[in-house]
Amino acid sequence: MLRSAILSRSVLRPWMLAASAAGLLFVVVGCQDASTSSVSDAEAPPDTTPPAVGGEGEVDGAGEAIPADVNGKVEHVVVGEGESEHVEMDFQQAIHTEGKLVVVDFWATWCGPCRMLAPELEKVVKDNPEKIMLVKVNVDTEEDLAAHFKIESIPDVRFVRDGKLIGGFIGFIDADGIKAELPPL
């Protein structure tokens, strides 16, 4: 019974999936409704509300310049009319792109919420391509970058302007929620 309750998408939240994939253990206590003998998808719709997210200035190091020795390879996501193109580039080059807010998405291939967030981020960039640049940092291959930014759970999105960290959020948020988190463009 506990196995099926833990595996049920109606019990798990997206942020729990990310944390469990990262090796964190959840102990589920009292996951059944007192009036029922089992938990089913029909009885408990999934909650897509993200955990608390930070806005501008609520991430470690906000307002500070990112040191020049913090570097690695990132994927610049070029959003166009058709499919997005991913172009490898240098992290320092990306965060110093003049005149643009750089959205840095820390993610991993095995992270379900990260894969859900990617098209939402691309929608936001598509609405403002002249003002926003999206780059992705794979935490499995760019461990030093993830360590510098103290990435403890993913997806973790940071906002950078002119080489300075200015905000961000953690977890899955849809495109409208992302727009609400963005600092002024």
Side-chain angles (χ1 to χ4, degrees):
M1 177 59 180
L2 183 58
R3 177 179 160 87
S4 64
I6 289 174
L7 296 177
S8 169
R9 293 186 73 70
S10 66
V11 175
L12 293 177
R13 305 295 184 250
W15 61 270
M16 289 178 175
L17 293 171
S20 65
L24 300 175
L25 174 65
F26 284 95
V27 177
V28 180
V29 178
C31 62
Q32 285 185 310
D33 184 321
S35 65
T36 65
S37 60
S38 66
V39 176
S40 73
D41 288 342
E43 295 167 337
D47 179 6
T48 58
T49 305
V53 294
E56 184 174 350
E58 294 184 18
V59 295
D60 285 344
E64 296 177 12
I66 298 169
D69 63 342
V70 175
N71 210 355
K73 295 295 178 192
V74 298
E75 291 180 29
H76 173 206
V77 181
V78 181
V79 180
E81 292 302 317
E83 294 224 2
S84 300
E85 181 183 350
H86 293 241
V87 179
E88 187 176 286
M89 70 184 305
D90 182 72
F91 178 74
Q92 282 291 324
Q93 178 187 2
I95 65 169
H96 287 95
T97 301
E98 194 170 324
K100 289 196 177 193
L101 174 69
V102 181
V103 177
V104 183
D105 176 20
F106 289 90
W107 71 289
T109 57
W110 48 262
C111 171
C114 298
R115 290 191 310 267
M116 292 169 36
L117 180 63
E120 301 299 316
L121 288 168
E122 290 182 20
K123 287 178 192 174
V124 173
V125 174
K126 195 171 192 173
D127 289 345
N128 296 288
E130 67 286 343
K131 295 181 181 178
I132 301 174
M133 175 182 190
L134 174 61
V135 297
K136 298 175 74 65
V137 178
N138 185 327
V139 298
D140 291 330
T141 58
E142 295 296 332
E143 295 172 1
D144 290 343
L145 277 175
H148 174 80
F149 288 98
K150 300 177 184 168
I151 304 301
E152 295 179 356
S153 62
I154 54 176
D156 188 322
V157 176
R158 304 293 173 99
F159 305 133
V160 178
R161 182 176 283 133
D162 300 323
K164 290 185 180 178
L165 181 63
I166 58 172
F169 64 89
I170 299 171
F172 173 79
I173 303 177
D174 66 13
D176 290 334
I178 295 167
K179 288 176 186 176
E181 291 293 325
L182 288 175
L185 301 175

